[in-house]
Amino acid sequence: MGDGNQGQLFPDAAVGAPSYDDADSDAFGYRGPTACAAAGITYRQLDYWARTGLVAPSVRTATGSGTQRLYSFRDILVLKVVKRLLDTGVSLQNIRKAVDHLRTRGVKELSNITLLSDGATVYECTSAEEVVDLLAGGQGVFGIAVSGALRELSGELAELPAERVDGAPVQADDELSARRRRRASA
C-alpha cells in the first residue's frame, strides 16, 4: 500500500466480482419487491425510506397509482448497507448521515469503502490505516465491507427480474442478464 494507490480495504471480499460500471446504470432498474428481496428488507421499510428520502429510487420514482418505482443496482446496494447498519443498532438519524455520503458514489467507489461504527456514529474508511486509527481510538466496534455486500447483491440480482426504463427487454449482454438467461434455460 505504500505506492500511493488506493486499493480495496478487504480485497478478498470481492474475489470473482465483475466490474459493476455497466450495472450502475439508470437505463434499467428493479421494482420494489425485487429490491426488497435483494436487500433483505420489508416493502413497508422500502416505502417509508423512499417517502422520507433515505433511499429514493434513482431510476424512476412513483408518480401516482399504477406506476412502479425502479431502483438501480447502487440504490439496492445502499439499501442493503442501511439494513445491516440498522441490524447492528445504529439509529436511523445516523444512518441518514452515512447515506448522504454514500449516495454520491459510484459502485466502483463504494466497493473500496468499509463502514465502521461504535453503534452510534458511522465512520467511512478507505484504507487500512484509517481502520487502525479508529480501532486504536476505541471508536470502531463493527465493520461492514461494502465490497462483500456488493458481491452478495450481484448474485442475488442475477436471479431476479430487471426492467428497462424504456420498456424494451433487458439486453442480455451484461453478466447479470447472462446469468438470468442461463437460469431460465436450465
Side-chain angles (χ1 to χ4, degrees):
M1 288 207 154
D3 62 2
N5 291 331
Q6 180 140 338
Q8 290 179 333
L9 191 54
F10 299 111
D12 60 331
V15 167
S19 167
Y20 295 99
D21 293 336
D22 294 334
D24 191 22
S25 163
D26 288 343
F28 68 93
Y30 302 89
R31 289 185 177 202
T34 301
C36 290
I41 61 173
T42 66
Y43 194 83
R44 180 176 276 196
Q45 286 174 306
L46 181 76
D47 184 55
Y48 177 72
W49 295 346
R51 285 186 290 108
T52 60
L54 177 63
V55 183
S58 63
V59 177
R60 184 173 66 207
T61 59
T63 55
S65 66
T67 60
Q68 293 283 330
R69 295 179 182 126
L70 287 181
Y71 290 83
S72 70
F73 184 92
R74 181 180 54 232
D75 295 337
I76 300 173
L77 178 60
V78 173
L79 287 169
K80 194 171 190 73
V81 169
V82 167
K83 168 74 163 108
R84 289 188 177 175
L85 289 170
L86 275 175
D87 287 348
T88 56
V90 177
S91 73
L92 208 48
Q93 180 180 0
N94 286 327
I95 290 173
R96 282 185 190 282
K97 293 175 189 171
V99 167
D100 286 342
H101 292 288
L102 296 178
R103 72 168 34 111
T104 60
R105 308 290 173 82
V107 170
K108 188 173 181 179
E109 274 184 298
L110 288 172
S111 70
N112 293 321
I113 293 173
T114 297
L115 299 176
L116 291 180
S117 180
D118 55 8
T121 305
V122 179
Y123 304 93
E124 177 185 304
C125 299
T126 55
S127 71
E129 291 80 15
E130 289 177 338
V131 172
V132 170
D133 288 347
L134 271 175
L135 293 174
Q139 287 105 334
V141 173
F142 63 86
I144 298 171
V146 179
S147 60
L150 184 101
R151 188 189 71 236
E152 291 170 18
L153 182 60
S154 69
E156 291 161 356
L157 286 178
E159 308 297 326
L160 297 169
E163 182 176 314
R164 285 188 57 89
V165 173
D166 60 11
V170 175
Q171 295 270 336
D173 57 356
D174 62 34
E175 181 171 333
L176 295 176
S177 296
R179 286 185 196 173
R180 283 189 201 98
R181 275 197 336 272
R182 284 193 300 270
R183 183 170 183 261
S185 65

